[in-house]
């Protein structure tokens, strides 16, 4: 494995934040939610997928890499849960995608 940049491009870009979660991680989260695997088993899947994605970023020559935020569900919900002064309130909201009205959704 090398950390040399493979392709020289005429711009600078950095990778920050979330990456798309692999199917293996989605499946493990669902299994955990259903009680089929333990929190420890879920953490092992997360760790393996983080290693895989970090190694891929190094392989393609990125100088700064991210864990893809694979241990997070939704960044803002993780933030709220970590705060001691915020409380969760359920509300019914309507969301419009591509000019179509969706039914009321329970959030979060």
């Amino acid at each position: 494995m090398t950390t040399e940049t493979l392709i020289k491009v005429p711009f600078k870009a950095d990778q920050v934040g979330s990456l798309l979660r692999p199917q293996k991680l989605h499946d493990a989260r669902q299994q955990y939610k259903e009680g089929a695997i333990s929190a420890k088993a879920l953490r092992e899947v997360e760790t393996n997928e983080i290693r895989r994605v970090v190694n891929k970023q190094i392989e393609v020559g990125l100088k700064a890499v991210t864990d893809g935020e694979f241990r997070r569900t939704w960044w803002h919900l993780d933030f709220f849960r970590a705060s001691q002064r915020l409380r969760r309130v359920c509300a019914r909201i309507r969301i419009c995608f591509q000019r179509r009205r969706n039914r009321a959704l329970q959030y979060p």
Side-chain angles (χ1 to χ4, degrees), residues 7-58:
I7 300 171
K8 298 287 184 189
V9 292
F11 57 85
K12 181 180 188 297
D14 292 318
Q15 165 65 43
V16 293
S18 297
L19 298 174
L20 293 176
R21 276 45 169 200
Q23 189 60 46
K24 189 180 278 188
L25 186 53
H26 287 295
D27 294 345
R29 287 228 173 103
Q30 185 62 36
Q31 291 169 346
Y32 174 72
K33 186 178 179 181
E34 294 168 354
I37 65 171
S38 67
K40 183 179 177 183
L42 173 60
R43 185 135 182 118
E44 287 176 21
V45 172
E46 290 171 340
T47 299
N48 290 336
E49 291 303 306
I50 288 168
R51 279 191 186 118
R52 187 186 59 75
V53 75
V54 165
N55 287 336
K56 184 64 172 177
Q57 291 169 81
I58 292 169

Side-chain angles (χ1 to χ4, degrees), residues 20 40 53 56 65 67 76-77 82 85 96-97 105-106:
L20 293 176
K40 183 179 177 183
V53 75
K56 184 64 172 177
V65 298
D67 65 359
H76 60 291
L77 297 182
R85 294 187 179 211
C96 184
F97 292 102
L105 302 173
Q106 188 75 19

